[in-house]
Each structure stands twice: as structure tokens, then as C-alpha cells.
Amino acid sequence: KPYLLAPKTDGMTIAWEADTATEATIAIGTEETQLDSAVSVPADADAPLFNGEQMQFYSYEATGLQPDTQYYYEVKLGEDVSCKGSFRTLPEDPDEVKLMFVTDTHKFETAEQFDRFVYSFNPDVIIHTGDIPEGTGTQKEQFSYWFDSGDFIQNYPVVYCPGNHDYGEFYDEYFGKLQAKAYSSSENGDNYSFDIGNVHIIMMDSNPWGLMQMNIETAGGTIGADLQATINSALSWLEKDLQSADAQNAAFRIIGMHHPYGDSFTKRYIPDLIEKYNVDLFLGGHSHSYSMNVSANPAVGAGTVYINGQDARSSSASGDWGTIVIADGLLTFTNYGAGLANQQYVLATEKQQLAFSDISIEPAEILSNGSVNITATVTNEGKGLAAAALPVYDNGMLRYVYALA
């Protein structure tokens, strides 16, 4: 079954795998019944081995396409096997951008519901923040949990970053190398970015700190120079990307990675950097627990919002996947669980539009370990989520009282 990834305004990557070596072709066109001439696609000569035999993996990067245009394609293996699909290239200057967010699909017991939801929501792109196998990335057969999940992967593009369960050469073959080739990526290809209209999207491999450094330090060790260099290189690439004109001129900046805001190793490296460059939304997974946080820095507040997806392995009222709709200077994130829309947050390009009044601190004096009641009227004068950080001096120490507005 073919699948789509690395979407662009003028291109799309289509990839597939065969059980045995065979001739493969692909034909693409704007008319479903009149495709262009078929093109021969060779198997990847550098594909990894599985059970002692080389994978029969094929990919085709369609280029020179028209923006915001529906295309149809047919993949043929030999004379007897064919599979058809379709896709729409990314728009150049859309009035609305629609994204879906999913993470930790593993056995993907929600696949049937997810497939139906994709078709009803009709996203431009699906963002997957990692953990496709139930076991490990060395178990190639477990990627079939995702590939056999539904027809949506033949008709809607997905962008990926690896989780700790994905790590290995099979993830790289299925996703990593193709995304690195198509997009602006780091030197090792593990991190990349792209744009949909005025939305800048960054996808990062958080395994160097969230998996490798965590394992070493949890066992009482110290990471070596090579791993530290890998982490430093990733962070340097991220900062350069956020300094780019595409990122700086975007109305919204979104970053996805597997290890979430609540991960202690992610907290070492990521929040200060992405908040410095006004990233609006962070998407993560890994913990199989839904949460929403705003920045711990009161000067940033809800200027950067951190979403941790529950998981789509099995259905949960806490969350299975999310949607992101961007239009008219607003980004609306909706968390869906057990088929229902649960939490919803609206972010705006203009941040933290708050007004404070009627501030009261009672009593004026208290005994040690006594209670203080702090009240204030906080008015959100903006269109998006805001975090009210009321500065309070406690025995000479500055503290903040938070509330969402």
C-alpha cells in the first residue's frame, strides 16, 4: 500500500514496499481517468536488510506540480498488482490551514475511527510525533500497525518525527531519509522544517536527549562527547531555523517532537530556546497522558502553549488525537477523545492582552505558615488564550500567581 509524505506546494513524495523484487511504476495526473505516462521506479539499492534479505522499498518524489491542486496516481507492481490514490498539493497563500495531530499510535486500535475522522476533517497535513511500533524500531513488521491502518495514508500526507519505539534503520528508510531529502533539514537529516502558507512547522528528533541521554544519566553515567555534539548540533540547527525569514515572518510557529514539555531532559534544552523565538505551539507525546501547559516564564505565559497528546493506541476520553485550524490570525487546537471534542484552546497572533483591576491581598499581616488570599479581576482583552501572572512579593521573594484567561 503506498503512502504520502513530505508535502509541498509543488511536490509530494509517494512511497511503498513490495514483498519481493519486482518492476514498479507510477503514473500521476490531474484527471483520474487520464494519468500521465507511467514512470519506472527502482527499488532503493541502499535499503536495509530484514531477515537476511534486502527490503524492496520504492519512493518517488513528484516535482513541478501546481499548488493547491488535486492529483491522482496509480502504483503498479509488475503486471498484476496496482493501487490508486490521490492528494492535494499544499496551497501557497491559504485563508485557512487545517492540521491533524496524532502520537503514540502503537497497536493503533483507534485506526478505524481515525481513518473516518481524517476523511471528514480533510486536513492539509497530519502530524505524527512518534512511536509507531508497539515494540521497538528494530521490529520492522510492527510498522504495519500504521501502514495497514486505513486508506487515509494513500490520500493524505503525514509528516513524522521519531519516538523512542521507532528508533532504528527502518524508521529512517520509511520516513527519515525521504523527509530529509524533500525539506530544509539538519546535516544528519533528523530535524526538518517546512511551511504551509504563513505557518512554519518544525519536526525534531528528541531521542538524543529524551532516550539516549536519559538512559545514560539514569544509570548513573555521563554522556560522551559524540552524543553531546549531536545534541548541540540539533539545538544549533533549531536556533538557525527559528532565525530564518520563513520562521520570523510566519504568523504561527509550531514545533513537534516525541518527548514532551514535562520530560526533564526536554526541559533542559527546548523551552528557553523556542520561547526566545516566539514559537506558538509545541506538540509532544511519549507519556500517554494528555496535558496542556503554558510557559513557566511569566513574561511569556500563554505566548507558548505546550500540548502533550494522550495516545491513539486505544480510545480514551482524555484524548485520541487533535485538530488545528488556523485562520484570521487565530489558531484553534481541539483535543478529541472517544469520538468527542473535549478541550479547545484558541491562540492569537497578538499575545497576552490582559488588564488587571481590583487587586486585593488579605490579611495585611499573617503568622508563619498562615494563608494569604489574593484576588484580582483579570480581563482578557485579546482574542486568544492568556496566562495571567500576578507578581507577588513573599518576604522579599518574587513569586507569581497564575490563572488562565
Side-chain angles (χ1 to χ4, degrees), residues 167-189:
Y167 213 67
E169 60 185 354
F170 298 122
Y171 174 90
D172 292 340
E173 184 70 13
Y174 285 134
F175 313 114
K177 293 194 301 184
L178 299 178
Q179 293 175 148
K181 179 183 176 183
Y183 288 142
S184 172
S185 66
S186 58
E187 185 176 351
N188 62 6

Side-chain angles (χ1 to χ4, degrees), residues 35-99:
L35 301 179
D36 296 339
S37 298
V39 176
S40 178
V41 181
D44 181 7
D46 298 319
L49 299 179
F50 176 64
N51 289 339
E53 297 184 1
Q54 191 172 39
M55 287 177 61
Q56 298 301 309
F57 184 75
Y58 304 81
S59 65
Y60 180 78
E61 185 178 4
T63 59
L65 306 182
Q66 295 300 308
D68 197 21
T69 300
Q70 190 74 29
Y71 285 87
Y72 302 87
Y73 68 91
E74 181 179 18
V75 171
K76 286 187 175 182
L77 299 178
E79 298 294 329
D80 301 322
V81 179
S82 72
C83 187
K84 297 180 180 181
S86 66
F87 61 84
R88 179 171 288 276
T89 49
L90 297 182
E92 285 187 328
D93 187 23
D95 294 329
E96 179 182 71
V97 173
K98 297 173 71 176
L99 308 171

